[in-house]
Amino acid sequence: MGVKENVPTPHIEAKRGEIAETILLPGDPLRAQFIAEHFLREPVLFNRVRGMLGYTGLYQGKRVSVMGTGMGCPSMGIYSYELIHFYGVRNLIRIGTAGAVSPDVHVRDLVFGMGACTNSSYPSLMQLPGSFAPICSYRLLRRAADAADRMGLAYRVGNLLSSEMFYGPAEGADSVRKWASVGVLAIEMEAAALYTNAAAGGVDALTILTVSDHLLTGETTSSAERESGFTDMMRLALEIA
Ligand code: HPA
């Protein structure tokens, strides 16, 4: 599917060409601002619609963008669709936090989402004659693993759950144990929509997470630990951008 002509979109006010081919996607728009202001040279703001701040700048001479996505599959679905189909973005790298469910994953670990199970209807709304398996881009996953090895960062690679619910039974111990029993590493809320849109648009996507809490052991991180974990993840994402 080619790039559609009508920009700006309902949710992004950038002009054609203002968004780089590679974009980092934190859920929180203030994280996008932080990354732009601390890691990019000459950052230019391209979006303020709904406060979903987006910037384009240079990282080690490469043009890269960063924008918030909000929380959940519907919000990720809107932004990733518009970036792919209206702005020609080709590499979408989500960075975020997750709750661990596997006993082998601990707080502060980096997790690369190879696949994303979901209790969201997002993939099934593509109306395929069966259930779609949302997976990441092998090319980006390989780049991320190589960069993490070079940087001396430990990571886990595996399946995620993109959940529709942050509070309630879908996050309860019974549910969490069932997902852990089929090898799911961690729960977040957006990867399944990102991977579905990237696959349908013929572009590359990856989700990189730092584990902020453990949903079975109750292990948690301090805000200082979350901050330094986030910094490692940002550097890694920028390395593969
Ligand atoms: N559930 C969903 N998303 C999350 C969580 C969680 O427990 N922790 C961080 N992101």
Side-chain angles (χ1 to χ4, degrees):
M1 227 180 299
V3 172
K4 297 184 185 353
E5 287 306 315
N6 41 339
V7 300
T9 68
H11 310 98
I12 306 176
E13 62 191 338
K15 298 188 194 66
R16 170 121 32 249
E18 285 185 334
I19 306 181
E21 275 204 350
T22 298
I23 194 163
L24 268 51
L25 299 171
D28 178 355
L30 294 179
R31 290 276 187 197
Q33 182 181 41
F34 179 88
I35 294 167
E37 290 177 351
H38 291 84
F39 292 90
L40 299 187
R41 273 195 19 244
E42 300 164 31
V44 176
L45 181 70
F46 66 72
N47 192 56
R48 289 176 43 161
V49 177
R50 289 178 184 251
M52 203 56 82
L53 303 173
Y55 300 81
T56 299
L58 294 171
Y59 182 76
Q60 294 178 349
K62 288 173 297 192
R63 203 161 163 267
V64 51
S65 296
V66 55
M67 188 176 88
T69 62
M71 291 176 281
C73 283
S75 189
M76 170 58 90
I78 289 171
Y79 290 109
S80 57
Y81 186 96
E82 292 184 2
L83 290 167
I84 295 164
H85 293 283
F86 293 83
Y87 290 99
V89 175
R90 305 205 54 85
N91 300 300
L92 298 93
I93 304 166
R94 159 164 157 67
I95 51 178
T97 55
V101 301
S102 160
D104 302 333
V105 177
H106 302 283
V107 294
R108 295 184 298 280
D109 283 358
L110 270 179
V111 175
F112 302 160
M114 190 156 54
C117 310
T118 190
N119 52 29
S120 160
S121 55
Y122 199 95
S124 63
L125 293 173
M126 301 303 280
Q127 300 183 350
L128 295 162
S131 44
F132 177 71
I135 57 168
C136 75
S137 150
Y138 176 69
R139 189 178 65 79
L140 287 180
L141 177 61
R142 198 169 164 164
R143 281 173 68 82
D146 288 346
D149 288 340
R150 273 199 312 277
M151 295 163 79
L153 297 173
Y155 56 91
R156 297 291 312 264
V157 181
N159 223 343
L160 306 173
L161 171 68
S162 298
S163 183
E164 289 287 81
M165 218 180 220
F166 189 90
Y167 300 107
E171 285 266 317
D174 280 356
S175 167
V176 164
R177 275 196 205 94
K178 284 180 187 160
W179 287 110
S181 78
V182 290
V184 164
L185 301 179
I187 306 188
E188 53 83 76
M189 305 184 80
E190 294 83 19
L194 174 63
Y195 291 175
T196 302
N197 278 353
V203 301
D204 290 287
L206 177 65
T207 294
I208 304 176
L209 304 164
T210 56
V211 173
S212 55
D213 306 279
H214 201 295
L215 301 182
L216 288 179
T217 64
E219 243 188 312
T220 186
T221 43
S222 68
S223 55
E225 286 172 325
R226 276 200 289 277
E227 200 61 51
S228 78
F230 209 88
T231 305
D232 287 343
M233 183 170 57
M234 279 185 299
R235 288 187 192 286
L236 177 69
L238 284 163
E239 253 343 278
I240 65 170

